[in-house]
Amino acid sequence: MSWLNRLAMKYVLTPEKVADRELGDARLALFQAERQLLEAEMRVDYHRNVLAFLEAISADGVENVAEKQRPQALSPVQRPLRITPDLTALRGAG
């Protein structure tokens, strides 16, 4: 009969077990709320950027805004160096 008591005690809800379950639920709710907050901040930033872009087009015109957003051509000094393999070492090995 003692094994039956142990088995029953394993599944009995104690205040500690309830608190553990509630703690997990509270952590999940906090995580979801923080995620929703971050998503809302991203949406706000997106709409601010769209608004600023449209205001710039209204004020300066499409050509001026497009010209400002085009990447400038890199001067020869600013261009990244292209590394070429040393083919002489490969020919000597063959």
Side-chain angles (χ1 to χ4, degrees):
M1 204 56 164
S2 66
W3 66 271
L4 187 60
N5 283 338
R6 277 186 267 133
L7 182 65
M9 289 303 292
K10 183 177 177 181
Y11 294 103
V12 169
L13 281 180
T14 61
E16 292 83 8
K17 289 180 182 177
V18 172
D20 260 355
R21 185 180 303 154
E22 290 298 320
L23 179 62
D25 291 346
R27 284 184 176 149
L28 179 61
L30 176 64
F31 171 77
Q32 289 172 339
E34 287 175 342
R35 185 180 50 85
Q36 290 172 352
L37 180 63
L38 289 174
E39 290 173 355
E41 289 173 352
M42 288 172 49
R43 284 193 303 273
V44 166
D45 288 342
Y46 168 77
H47 289 292
R48 279 189 185 139
N49 289 334
V50 167
L51 184 62
F53 176 73
L54 294 175
E55 286 174 346
I57 288 177
S58 296
D60 300 335
V62 114
E63 290 298 324
N64 291 335
V65 172
E67 193 63 37
K68 288 178 188 174
Q69 291 186 348
R70 272 194 200 111
Q72 301 296 322
L74 295 176
S75 68
V77 176
Q78 293 175 329
R79 287 197 180 126
L81 295 175
R82 183 176 173 197
I83 300 173
T84 56
D86 184 14
L87 297 178
T88 58
L90 293 174
R91 288 185 192 135

